Short mmCIF file of all heavy atoms in Angstrom, two decimals:
data_model
loop_
_atom_site.label_atom_id
_atom_site.label_comp_id
_atom_site.label_asym_id
_atom_site.label_seq_id
_atom_site.Cartn_x
_atom_site.Cartn_y
_atom_site.Cartn_z
N VAL T 82 103.77 165.38 -7.90
CA VAL T 82 103.94 165.77 -9.31
C VAL T 82 105.42 165.85 -9.65
O VAL T 82 105.88 165.33 -10.70
CB VAL T 82 103.24 167.14 -9.62
CG1 VAL T 82 103.71 167.67 -10.97
CG2 VAL T 82 101.75 166.94 -9.64
N LEU T 83 106.20 166.52 -8.80
CA LEU T 83 107.62 166.66 -9.06
C LEU T 83 108.35 165.32 -9.08
O LEU T 83 109.16 165.03 -9.94
CB LEU T 83 108.25 167.56 -7.99
CG LEU T 83 107.83 169.03 -8.05
CD1 LEU T 83 108.42 169.80 -6.84
CD2 LEU T 83 108.27 169.68 -9.34
N ALA T 84 107.99 164.46 -8.12
CA ALA T 84 108.63 163.14 -8.03
C ALA T 84 108.28 162.27 -9.23
O ALA T 84 109.17 161.65 -9.86
CB ALA T 84 108.17 162.42 -6.75
N VAL T 85 107.00 162.26 -9.60
CA VAL T 85 106.57 161.43 -10.76
C VAL T 85 107.16 161.99 -12.05
O VAL T 85 107.60 161.22 -12.92
CB VAL T 85 105.00 161.43 -10.85
CG1 VAL T 85 104.55 160.65 -12.08
CG2 VAL T 85 104.43 160.76 -9.61
N PHE T 86 107.24 163.32 -12.18
CA PHE T 86 107.83 163.90 -13.39
C PHE T 86 109.30 163.52 -13.52
O PHE T 86 109.73 163.14 -14.60
CB PHE T 86 107.69 165.43 -13.34
CG PHE T 86 108.35 166.12 -14.48
CD1 PHE T 86 107.72 166.19 -15.73
CD2 PHE T 86 109.61 166.67 -14.35
CE1 PHE T 86 108.32 166.81 -16.83
CE2 PHE T 86 110.24 167.27 -15.43
CZ PHE T 86 109.59 167.35 -16.65
N VAL T 87 110.03 163.62 -12.43
CA VAL T 87 111.46 163.28 -12.48
C VAL T 87 111.67 161.82 -12.88
O VAL T 87 112.47 161.47 -13.74
CB VAL T 87 112.15 163.60 -11.15
CG1 VAL T 87 113.58 163.04 -11.11
CG2 VAL T 87 112.18 165.10 -10.89
N VAL T 88 110.95 160.89 -12.20
CA VAL T 88 111.07 159.50 -12.49
C VAL T 88 110.64 159.20 -13.94
O VAL T 88 111.36 158.50 -14.67
CB VAL T 88 110.19 158.66 -11.52
CG1 VAL T 88 110.21 157.19 -11.93
CG2 VAL T 88 110.71 158.77 -10.11
N GLY T 89 109.53 159.77 -14.36
CA GLY T 89 109.06 159.56 -15.72
C GLY T 89 109.99 160.11 -16.75
O GLY T 89 110.25 159.48 -17.78
N PHE T 90 110.54 161.31 -16.49
CA PHE T 90 111.46 161.92 -17.44
C PHE T 90 112.72 161.11 -17.59
O PHE T 90 113.20 160.88 -18.73
CB PHE T 90 111.82 163.32 -16.97
CG PHE T 90 112.77 164.07 -17.87
CD1 PHE T 90 112.35 164.51 -19.09
CD2 PHE T 90 114.08 164.27 -17.48
CE1 PHE T 90 113.24 165.19 -19.94
CE2 PHE T 90 114.99 164.92 -18.31
CZ PHE T 90 114.55 165.38 -19.53
N LEU T 91 113.28 160.63 -16.51
CA LEU T 91 114.49 159.81 -16.56
C LEU T 91 114.23 158.49 -17.32
O LEU T 91 115.06 158.05 -18.12
CB LEU T 91 115.02 159.53 -15.15
CG LEU T 91 115.57 160.73 -14.40
CD1 LEU T 91 115.95 160.34 -12.97
CD2 LEU T 91 116.75 161.37 -15.10
N MET T 92 113.08 157.90 -17.07
CA MET T 92 112.76 156.65 -17.76
C MET T 92 112.51 156.88 -19.25
O MET T 92 112.86 156.04 -20.08
CB MET T 92 111.50 156.02 -17.13
CG MET T 92 111.72 155.47 -15.73
SD MET T 92 110.19 154.91 -14.93
CE MET T 92 109.78 153.51 -15.95
N SER T 93 111.94 158.03 -19.59
CA SER T 93 111.62 158.31 -20.98
C SER T 93 112.88 158.56 -21.81
O SER T 93 112.84 158.53 -23.05
CB SER T 93 110.68 159.52 -21.09
OG SER T 93 111.34 160.69 -20.69
N LEU T 94 113.97 158.85 -21.14
CA LEU T 94 115.25 159.08 -21.85
C LEU T 94 115.92 157.79 -22.33
O LEU T 94 116.85 157.82 -23.12
CB LEU T 94 116.25 159.83 -20.96
CG LEU T 94 115.86 161.27 -20.54
CD1 LEU T 94 116.88 161.85 -19.60
CD2 LEU T 94 115.71 162.16 -21.77
N ARG T 95 115.43 156.67 -21.86
CA ARG T 95 116.02 155.38 -22.22
C ARG T 95 115.90 155.14 -23.72
O ARG T 95 114.86 155.35 -24.33
CB ARG T 95 115.28 154.24 -21.50
CG ARG T 95 115.78 152.84 -21.77
CD ARG T 95 117.14 152.62 -21.17
NE ARG T 95 117.63 151.25 -21.50
CZ ARG T 95 117.48 150.21 -20.69
NH1 ARG T 95 116.83 150.34 -19.54
NH2 ARG T 95 117.93 149.05 -21.02
N LYS T 96 117.02 154.77 -24.36
CA LYS T 96 117.02 154.55 -25.79
C LYS T 96 116.99 153.02 -26.06
O LYS T 96 117.99 152.34 -25.82
CB LYS T 96 118.30 155.15 -26.41
CG LYS T 96 118.33 156.67 -26.33
CD LYS T 96 119.55 157.23 -27.02
CE LYS T 96 119.55 158.77 -26.97
NZ LYS T 96 120.74 159.37 -27.63
N PRO T 97 115.85 152.53 -26.54
CA PRO T 97 115.76 151.08 -26.79
C PRO T 97 116.50 150.68 -28.05
O PRO T 97 116.69 151.50 -28.96
CB PRO T 97 114.23 150.90 -26.97
CG PRO T 97 113.74 152.21 -27.49
CD PRO T 97 114.59 153.27 -26.81
N VAL T 98 116.94 149.42 -28.09
CA VAL T 98 117.65 148.93 -29.26
C VAL T 98 116.69 148.84 -30.44
O VAL T 98 117.09 148.93 -31.60
CB VAL T 98 118.27 147.55 -28.96
CG1 VAL T 98 119.47 147.68 -28.07
CG2 VAL T 98 117.26 146.60 -28.36
N SER T 99 115.40 148.63 -30.13
CA SER T 99 114.39 148.56 -31.16
C SER T 99 113.11 149.17 -30.65
O SER T 99 112.77 149.07 -29.44
CB SER T 99 114.12 147.08 -31.55
OG SER T 99 112.97 147.00 -32.41
N ARG T 100 112.35 149.80 -31.52
CA ARG T 100 111.08 150.44 -31.12
C ARG T 100 109.88 149.55 -31.39
O ARG T 100 108.73 149.93 -31.20
CB ARG T 100 110.90 151.79 -31.84
CG ARG T 100 111.89 152.83 -31.36
CD ARG T 100 111.69 154.17 -32.04
NE ARG T 100 112.63 155.18 -31.58
CZ ARG T 100 112.39 155.99 -30.56
NH1 ARG T 100 111.26 155.91 -29.90
NH2 ARG T 100 113.28 156.86 -30.18
N ARG T 101 110.13 148.32 -31.82
CA ARG T 101 109.04 147.39 -32.06
C ARG T 101 108.59 146.80 -30.73
O ARG T 101 109.37 146.43 -29.89
CB ARG T 101 109.47 146.24 -33.00
CG ARG T 101 109.62 146.70 -34.46
CD ARG T 101 109.97 145.49 -35.34
NE ARG T 101 108.96 144.48 -35.28
CZ ARG T 101 107.83 144.49 -36.00
NH1 ARG T 101 107.62 145.50 -36.81
NH2 ARG T 101 106.99 143.51 -35.92
N ILE T 102 107.24 146.71 -30.59
CA ILE T 102 106.67 146.13 -29.38
C ILE T 102 105.99 144.79 -29.75
O ILE T 102 105.04 144.74 -30.52
CB ILE T 102 105.63 147.08 -28.75
CG1 ILE T 102 106.32 148.33 -28.30
CG2 ILE T 102 104.90 146.38 -27.60
CD1 ILE T 102 105.35 149.36 -27.70
N GLN T 103 106.52 143.72 -29.17
CA GLN T 103 105.97 142.38 -29.38
C GLN T 103 105.04 142.08 -28.21
O GLN T 103 104.87 142.88 -27.27
CB GLN T 103 107.08 141.36 -29.51
CG GLN T 103 108.07 141.64 -30.59
CD GLN T 103 107.47 141.59 -32.01
OE1 GLN T 103 106.40 141.04 -32.21
NE2 GLN T 103 108.16 142.21 -32.98
N VAL T 104 104.42 140.90 -28.26
CA VAL T 104 103.45 140.52 -27.22
C VAL T 104 104.08 140.55 -25.83
O VAL T 104 103.47 141.04 -24.88
CB VAL T 104 102.89 139.11 -27.50
CG1 VAL T 104 101.95 138.66 -26.39
CG2 VAL T 104 102.12 139.11 -28.81
N ARG T 105 105.31 140.05 -25.69
CA ARG T 105 105.93 140.01 -24.36
C ARG T 105 106.11 141.41 -23.77
O ARG T 105 105.80 141.64 -22.61
CB ARG T 105 107.30 139.31 -24.50
CG ARG T 105 107.98 139.13 -23.14
CD ARG T 105 109.37 138.48 -23.33
NE ARG T 105 109.26 137.18 -23.96
CZ ARG T 105 110.32 136.42 -24.27
NH1 ARG T 105 111.53 136.84 -24.02
NH2 ARG T 105 110.14 135.24 -24.83
N GLU T 106 106.60 142.32 -24.59
CA GLU T 106 106.75 143.70 -24.15
C GLU T 106 105.39 144.36 -23.82
O GLU T 106 105.25 145.07 -22.83
CB GLU T 106 107.46 144.56 -25.18
CG GLU T 106 108.95 144.25 -25.31
CD GLU T 106 109.22 143.02 -26.22
OE1 GLU T 106 108.30 142.62 -26.95
OE2 GLU T 106 110.33 142.48 -26.16
N ALA T 107 104.39 144.04 -24.63
CA ALA T 107 103.08 144.65 -24.46
C ALA T 107 102.44 144.23 -23.13
O ALA T 107 101.92 145.06 -22.38
CB ALA T 107 102.15 144.28 -25.62
N VAL T 108 102.50 142.94 -22.86
CA VAL T 108 101.95 142.44 -21.58
C VAL T 108 102.69 143.04 -20.40
O VAL T 108 102.09 143.41 -19.40
CB VAL T 108 102.01 140.90 -21.56
CG1 VAL T 108 101.61 140.37 -20.17
CG2 VAL T 108 101.12 140.29 -22.61
#
Side-chain angles (χ1 to χ4, degrees):
V82 166
L83 293 174
V85 176
F86 175 81
V87 170
V88 174
F90 179 72
L91 292 175
M92 291 174 66
S93 68
L94 294 178
R95 180 70 180 267
K96 294 183 178 180
V98 288
S99 171
R100 291 181 178 270
R101 287 183 60 82
I102 295 178
Q103 304 296 341
V104 175
R105 184 182 300 178
E106 288 81 17
V108 172

